[in-house]
Structure formats: structure tokens, C-alpha cells
Amino acid sequence: MARDDKSAVVDDLAQKFEDSTAAVLTEYRGLSVAQLQTLRRSLGRDTTYAVVKNTLTRRAAAKAGVEGFEDQLAGPSAIAFIDGDPVEAAKGLRAFAKDNPALVIKAGYMDGRLISAEEVGKLADLESREVLLSKMAGAMKASLSQAASLFQAPLAQTARTVEALRTKREAEGPETVAETAPAVDEATSEPAAEAATDSAAEASE
């Protein structure tokens, strides 16, 4: 490979290291071209699975500030550069390795540090971002429904009480209003009538 071509490869790999959410180093010894294509498809559009040359990858890692990767670069190497959810990619790599033991997960790089193959496996044990978001949305929906029920319950009870009073009043009719009106006190009305008669008599004299 010409020097300019090597420099371009190093620049491209360094850029992938810098732009990726995470990277997982694997050894693919014994895998066929068809199997590698199947692996690429299974990892999805958010992960680029690239066969790399160890010497150029060491230079690219150093250029990108990735430390610790160079010690793992031995044998036929390929790196999964992950742009999306690292959990999903880790699950995909582990599932493929289970069916194709020739794929060996050697190490990874995430959040600015080297992670071991065991840590990549633990990453695969986690729930994916989509599952977590779905659970959060379900929990929020349930909480909102409970809150709505708490707010609506007193209002509903008040509405039922008001309706019951209105129905009761309509059933009782206007007679109830007349019966409940205050009666005029006869003892009070008689002196008032006599006073009115005396005033009329004095006026006529």
C-alpha cells in the first residue's frame, strides 16, 4: 500500500474512533466473507464493522488519543465502530459469536477508556435504550393516569352531589317553597291594624 493510501486509512480510522460512541475489537480468524457480511447486516446501520490492519490501527488509535488498544492488536483484527446504542451492538456481537465461535471479542473502548471483553459482555446484558425508554414512557403514562384519577374523583363526587340536590328540589316542587316561607304573626298584625284605624279617625276630626 502506498504511503498516501496508508495515511488516508489512518486518518479515516482515527476519525471513526473520535466519532463513535464506542468501538469493539474482535478477531475474525476462520470466518468466511459470507459470514462477515451476515455479521455486518446483523449489527445494523448504526455500526460499521471494518477489517483493519494492526499497524495502521495502532497509528490511528494514537492519533485519536485512544490508549490501551494497541496491546490488543494481534492476529486478524476487525473493529465494530458503534454510532448508536452500544448495548444493542454488544448484544448483536455476542449473539453472532454464540452461533459462530470463530468470532472472538477481545476488548472495547467507550467513554474514554479501554474496556475488557468481560465488560463488553456485561454491556450486552443491559437493557437497550429503546427498552428503557419504553419502560419510562409506560411508567410516566401510569403516573399521569393515577394523577388524573386523583384529580377527577373529587370533581365527580361533587358533580353527583349537586345533581342529586337539583333532582330532589325538582321532585319536591314549588309547594315546598311556600310551606317553608315565614308566616306573619297574628299578634303582631292586630296592633298594627288598630293603630291604622285610630290614625284615620283623628284625621277625620
Side-chain angles (χ1 to χ4, degrees):
M1 184 182 293
R3 177 174 297 180
D4 290 344
D5 293 337
K6 290 180 180 179
S7 296
V9 171
V10 169
D11 290 342
D12 181 62
L13 289 173
Q15 192 65 50
K16 282 185 169 63
F17 274 119
E18 292 173 356
D19 294 343
S20 299
T21 305
V24 178
L25 175 64
T26 66
E27 183 175 318
Y28 65 93
R29 189 191 306 273
L31 290 177
S32 66
V33 173
Q35 287 173 315
L36 290 176
Q37 290 176 343
T38 300
L39 174 58
R40 289 189 177 97
R41 286 194 298 268
S42 68
L43 292 176
R45 297 170 58 183
D46 291 333
T47 299
T48 300
Y49 189 75
V51 173
V52 298
K53 291 185 177 296
N54 294 332
T55 302
L56 299 182
T57 303
R58 288 190 186 94
R59 289 169 53 187
K63 185 174 183 178
V66 175
E67 299 179 355
F69 231 51
E70 63 276 5
D71 297 332
Q72 302 292 333
L73 290 165
S77 300
I79 300 176
F81 292 102
I82 305 163
D83 294 328
D85 184 5
V87 173
E88 283 289 349
K91 288 180 183 294
L93 287 168
R94 186 173 66 178
F96 186 88
K98 183 178 180 180
D99 296 333
N100 302 271
L103 180 72
V104 179
I105 298 174
K106 302 178 70 175
Y109 192 83
M110 188 174 69
D111 294 335
R113 71 178 187 89
L114 186 73
I115 60 176
S116 65
E118 289 76 15
E119 288 176 302
V120 175
K122 291 178 181 178
L123 191 64
D125 290 332
L126 299 176
E127 292 182 324
S128 67
R129 180 174 179 271
E130 287 72 16
V131 172
L132 290 174
L133 288 175
S134 177
K135 287 187 175 182
M136 288 176 62
M140 290 176 65
K141 184 177 180 181
S143 298
L144 290 174
S145 297
Q146 291 173 358
S149 299
L150 289 174
F151 283 117
Q152 290 174 1
L155 295 176
Q157 291 173 1
T158 301
R160 286 195 294 269
T161 302
V162 171
E163 179 63 20
L165 290 173
R166 187 186 66 79
T167 304
K168 182 179 179 181
R169 287 173 182 169
E170 290 179 354
E172 290 174 348
E175 293 180 358
T176 305
V177 178
E179 290 174 357
T180 57
V184 179
D185 190 347
E186 293 179 358
T188 305
S189 62
E190 288 179 359
E194 290 176 358
T197 304
D198 293 341
S199 298
E202 290 175 0
S204 62
E205 290 177 356

